[in-house]
């Protein structure tokens, strides 16, 4: 990053150059307003520090000229005063970003550090913006400005096409004019997104050349988050866009984190299947629904045969591979009517709705056969399965007990088989 120090005093130049150099900024110097205006048209500066008193013009005059110059319209201008004077207020009115006194270096250094961080953040800024503007010149100007700050802008000149784009792409911000080509206005677009699509998360910034308080209030009532007049002041536009996009992205990050925490709460870490707590909660609801709707429901309890021997002989890492392979096979045969979970150790359950016990038995036999064909790490593995169907008046605890008893029978009968609860002797 590069800074320009506009100062005649060699001592003051050295003081401020040391501060900026410590903040990892490259420093250049100018000792007049005329030289400064020439330099800033030839090179880009991220920051300009200006002394109030210059040999050819006052500091506030230079601030005004720099603000009217395209290359420095958005550049931070820090004015350096020797003491209290009316020039400080004049500089702020002319466009200075902030005023500091030369005997208060700590505040200058602290502010500059924050400003540098902000500038660096701008350079790393990114986000998808949907922009609706029917003035080609205005659209091109704003689009170039936002793209120069790292945003991706998708422009449209009518709300109908923009609304279709909104349905297909996830945006971080909608910017729209009020009066547009076509039948839909900007206000109509805001309402369509907020009401028709029930999307309260997408931030909406409305831009208009009509400074009508009644219309502005209606835009806010319809769901707009912010409003700027046209033509926009680019510093103000950037600040509003940045705040809205950052808020949206932070909300999305929080939502993703909450989803991750939810997944951690309901999934088994090793296998990715549901865990015991979640399947119990889900199964209780499924049982209640099946009882109310007189729908068939069945539970299969699965256990990997001789799993302790696999761990003892080959080690727990190999045992984990076996568990993962079996769970992947189990997950591959699940559908909208079937859920599977690991409920502990080498034991799994498979809950199925809409299938009678004979169909569940056939599916269980196919699963048992497919797993018996697997040889993880060269190891032959088999599973035993016990199945039971929901009976009137049963709850999930009873259903699980019956399937578990059938599993015990499968183990006792030689393993690598499927047993039904209603076919065993209790």
């Amino acid at each position: 990053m590069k800074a320009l120090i506009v100062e005649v005093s060699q001592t003051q130049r050295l003081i401020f150059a040391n501060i900026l150099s410590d903040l990892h900024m490259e420093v250049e110097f100018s000792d007049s307003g005329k030289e400064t205006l020439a330099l800033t048209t030839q090179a880009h500066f991220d920051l300009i520090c200006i002394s109030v008193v210059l040999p050819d013009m006052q500091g506030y005059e230079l601030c005004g000229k720099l603000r009217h110059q395209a290359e420095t319209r958005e550049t931070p201008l820090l004015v350096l005063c020797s003491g209290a004077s009316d020039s400080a207020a004049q500089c702020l009115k002319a466009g200075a970003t902030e005023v500091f006194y030369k005997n208060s270096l700590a505040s200058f250094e602290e502010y500059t550090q924050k400003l540098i961080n902000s500038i660096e953040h701008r350079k790393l800024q990114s986000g998808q913006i949907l922009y609706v503007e029917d003035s080609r010149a205005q659209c091109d100007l704003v689009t170039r400005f936002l793209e120069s700050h790292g945003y991706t802008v998708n422009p449209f000149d009518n709300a109908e096409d923009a609304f279709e784009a909104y349905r297909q792409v996830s945006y971080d911000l909608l910017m729209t004019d009020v009066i547009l080509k076509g039948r839909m206005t900007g206000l109509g677009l805001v309402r369509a997104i907020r009401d028709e699509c029930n999307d309260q998360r997408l931030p909406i910034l409305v831009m208009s050349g009509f400074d009508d308080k009644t219309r502005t209030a209606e835009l806010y009532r319809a769901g707009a988050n912010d409003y700027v007049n046209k033509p926009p002041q680019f510093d103000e536009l950037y600040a509003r866009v940045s705040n809205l996009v950052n808020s949206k992205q932070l909300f999305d990050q929080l939502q993703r984190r909450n989803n991750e925490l939810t997944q951690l709460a309901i999934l088994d870490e090793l296998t990715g299947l549901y865990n015991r707590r979640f399947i119990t909660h889900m199964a209780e609801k499924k049982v209640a629904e099946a009882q109310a709707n007189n729908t068939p429901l069945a539970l299969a309890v699965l256990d990997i045969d001789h799993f302790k021997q696999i761990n003892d002989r080959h080690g727990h890492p190999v045992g984990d591979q076996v568990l993962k392979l079996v769970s992947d096979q189990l997950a591959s045969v699940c559908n909208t009517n079937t859920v599977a979970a690991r409920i502990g150790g080498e034991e799994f359950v498979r809950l199925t709705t809409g299938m009678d016990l004979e169909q569940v038995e056939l599916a269980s036999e196919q699963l048992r056969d497919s797993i018996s064909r697997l040889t993880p790490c060269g190891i032959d593995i088999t599973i035993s399965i016990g199945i039971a169907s929901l009976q009137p008046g049963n709850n999930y605890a009873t259903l699980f007990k019956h399937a578990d008893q059938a599993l015990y029978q499968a183990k006792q009968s030689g393993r690598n088989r499927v047993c039904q609860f209603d076919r065993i002797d209790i």
Side-chain angles (χ1 to χ4, degrees), residues 46-63:
D46 297 288
L47 174 67
I48 303 176
C49 301
I50 303 169
S51 177
V52 165
V53 180
L54 296 171
D56 56 347
M57 65 180 71
Q58 294 297 310
Y60 70 86
E61 294 179 275
L62 179 56
C63 288

Side-chain angles (χ1 to χ4, degrees), residues 3-17 20 27-36 39 48-59 62 66 78-83 100-103 105 108:
L4 177 63
I5 299 177
V6 188
E7 172 65 67
V8 177
S9 166
Q10 294 295 326
T11 301
Q12 294 296 332
R13 281 188 177 195
L14 182 61
I15 291 172
F16 288 101
L20 295 174
V27 178
E28 289 191 21
F29 301 98
S30 169
D31 57 13
S32 71
K34 184 178 180 179
E35 182 183 10
T36 299
L39 284 172
I48 303 176
C49 301
I50 303 169
S51 177
V52 165
V53 180
L54 296 171
D56 56 347
M57 65 180 71
Q58 294 297 310
L62 179 56
L66 289 170
L78 304 186
V79 174
L80 310 174
C81 298
S82 297
F100 295 93
Y101 297 103
K102 295 178 180 179
N103 60 357
L105 299 181
F108 171 79

Side-chain angles (χ1 to χ4, degrees), residues 157-168:
D157 63 4
N158 67 88
E160 289 83 358
D161 290 343
F163 189 55
E164 283 303 310
Y166 158 78
R167 289 179 176 275
Q168 298 172 22

